[in-house]
Coordinates of all heavy atoms in Angstrom, one line a residue:
W269 N 111.6 55.5 99.8 CA 110.9 56.0 98.6 C 111.2 57.5 98.4 O 111.0 58.4 99.3 CB 109.4 55.9 98.8 CG 108.9 54.5 99.1 CD1 109.1 53.6 100.2 CD2 108.0 53.8 98.1 NE1 108.5 52.5 99.9 CE2 107.8 52.5 98.8 CE3 107.5 54.1 96.9 CZ2 107.0 51.5 98.1 CZ3 106.7 53.0 96.3 CH2 106.5 51.8 96.9
V270 N 111.8 57.8 97.2 CA 112.2 59.1 96.9 C 111.7 59.6 95.5 O 111.7 58.8 94.7 CB 113.8 59.2 96.8 CG1 114.2 60.7 96.8 CG2 114.4 58.6 98.0
D271 N 111.1 60.8 95.5 CA 110.5 61.3 94.2 C 111.6 61.9 93.3 O 111.5 61.6 92.1 CB 109.4 62.3 94.5 CG 109.9 63.5 95.3 OD1 110.9 63.4 95.9 OD2 109.2 64.6 95.1
D272 N 112.6 62.5 94.0 CA 113.5 63.3 93.1 C 115.0 62.6 93.3 O 115.7 63.0 94.2 CB 113.6 64.7 93.5 CG 114.6 65.5 92.9 OD1 115.4 64.9 92.1 OD2 114.7 66.8 93.1
L273 N 115.2 61.7 92.4 CA 116.5 61.0 92.5 C 117.7 61.9 92.2 O 118.8 61.6 92.6 CB 116.5 59.7 91.6 CG 115.5 58.6 92.1 CD1 115.5 57.5 91.1 CD2 115.9 58.1 93.4
R274 N 117.6 62.9 91.4 CA 118.6 63.8 91.0 C 119.1 64.6 92.2 O 120.3 64.6 92.4 CB 118.1 64.9 89.9 CG 117.9 64.1 88.6 CD 118.0 65.0 87.4 NE 117.7 64.2 86.2 CZ 118.6 63.3 85.6 NH1 119.8 63.2 86.2 NH2 118.3 62.5 84.7
S275 N 118.2 65.1 93.1 CA 118.6 65.8 94.3 C 119.4 64.8 95.2 O 120.4 65.0 95.8 CB 117.5 66.4 95.1 OG 116.9 67.4 94.3
F276 N 118.9 63.6 95.3 CA 119.5 62.5 96.0 C 120.9 62.2 95.5 O 121.9 62.1 96.3 CB 118.7 61.2 96.0 CG 119.0 60.2 96.9 CD1 120.0 60.3 97.9 CD2 118.3 59.0 96.9 CE1 120.3 59.3 98.8 CE2 118.7 57.9 97.7 CZ 119.6 58.1 98.7
Q277 N 121.1 62.1 94.2 CA 122.3 61.8 93.6 C 123.4 62.9 93.9 O 124.6 62.6 94.1 CB 122.3 61.6 92.1 CG 123.5 61.1 91.5 CD 123.5 61.1 89.9 OE1 123.2 62.3 89.4 NE2 123.8 60.1 89.2
R278 N 123.0 64.2 94.1 CA 123.9 65.3 94.4 C 124.7 65.0 95.7 O 125.9 65.2 95.8 CB 123.2 66.6 94.6 CG 122.7 67.3 93.4 CD 123.7 67.8 92.5 NE 124.7 68.7 93.0 CZ 124.5 70.0 93.2 NH1 123.4 70.5 93.0 NH2 125.6 70.8 93.7
M279 N 124.0 64.3 96.6 CA 124.7 64.0 97.9 C 125.1 62.6 98.1 O 125.9 62.3 99.0 CB 123.9 64.5 99.1 CG 122.6 63.7 99.4 SD 121.7 64.2 100.8 CE 121.3 65.9 100.3
C280 N 124.6 61.8 97.1 CA 125.0 60.4 97.1 C 125.3 60.0 95.6 O 124.3 59.4 95.0 CB 123.8 59.7 97.7 SG 124.2 57.9 97.9
P281 N 126.5 60.2 95.2 CA 126.8 60.0 93.8 C 126.4 58.6 93.2 O 126.2 58.5 92.0 CB 128.3 60.2 93.7 CG 128.6 61.2 94.9 CD 127.6 60.7 96.0
Q282 N 126.4 57.6 94.1 CA 126.2 56.2 93.5 C 124.7 56.0 93.2 O 124.4 54.9 92.6 CB 126.8 55.2 94.5 CG 126.1 55.1 95.9 CD 126.9 55.9 96.9 OE1 127.3 57.1 96.5 NE2 127.2 55.4 98.1
V283 N 123.8 56.9 93.5 CA 122.5 56.7 93.1 C 122.3 56.7 91.6 O 122.9 57.6 91.0 CB 121.6 57.9 93.7 CG1 120.2 57.9 93.1 CG2 121.5 57.7 95.2
D284 N 121.5 55.7 91.0 CA 121.2 55.6 89.6 C 119.9 56.4 89.4 O 118.9 56.0 89.9 CB 121.2 54.2 89.2 CG 120.7 54.0 87.8 OD1 120.4 55.1 87.1 OD2 120.7 53.0 87.2
V285 N 119.9 57.5 88.8 CA 118.7 58.4 88.7 C 117.7 57.8 87.7 O 116.5 58.2 87.6 CB 119.0 59.9 88.2 CG1 119.9 60.6 89.2 CG2 119.8 59.7 86.8
T286 N 118.1 56.7 87.0 CA 117.2 56.0 86.0 C 116.4 54.9 86.7 O 115.6 54.3 86.1 CB 117.9 55.6 84.8 OG1 118.8 54.6 85.1 CG2 118.5 56.8 84.1
A287 N 116.9 54.4 87.8 CA 116.4 53.1 88.4 C 115.2 53.3 89.2 O 115.1 54.2 90.1 CB 117.5 52.5 89.3
G288 N 114.2 52.4 88.9 CA 113.0 52.4 89.7 C 113.2 51.8 91.0 O 112.6 52.1 92.0
L289 N 114.1 50.8 91.1 CA 114.5 50.1 92.3 C 115.9 49.8 92.3 O 116.6 49.4 91.3 CB 113.7 48.7 92.3 CG 113.8 47.9 93.5 CD1 113.2 48.5 94.7 CD2 113.2 46.5 93.3
Q290 N 116.6 50.1 93.5 CA 118.1 49.9 93.5 C 118.5 49.8 95.0 O 117.7 50.2 95.9 CB 118.9 51.2 92.9 CG 118.5 52.4 93.5 CD 119.1 53.6 92.6 OE1 120.4 53.7 92.6 NE2 118.2 54.5 92.2
L291 N 119.6 49.2 95.1 CA 120.2 49.1 96.4 C 121.4 50.1 96.6 O 122.3 50.0 95.8 CB 120.7 47.5 96.7 CG 120.8 47.0 98.0 CD1 119.4 47.0 98.7 CD2 121.2 45.5 98.1
V292 N 121.3 50.8 97.6 CA 122.4 51.9 97.7 C 122.9 51.8 99.2 O 122.1 52.0 100.1 CB 121.9 53.4 97.5 CG1 123.0 54.4 97.6 CG2 121.2 53.5 96.1

Side-chain angles (χ1 to χ4, degrees):
W269 294 71
V270 189
D271 63 336
D272 175 0
L273 291 176
R274 288 203 182 284
S275 292
F276 190 7
Q277 190 191 49
R278 285 294 305 277
M279 66 177 65
C280 184
Q282 59 268 47
V283 165
D284 174 355
V285 295
T286 63
L289 182 65
Q290 58 191 299
L291 206 56
V292 183

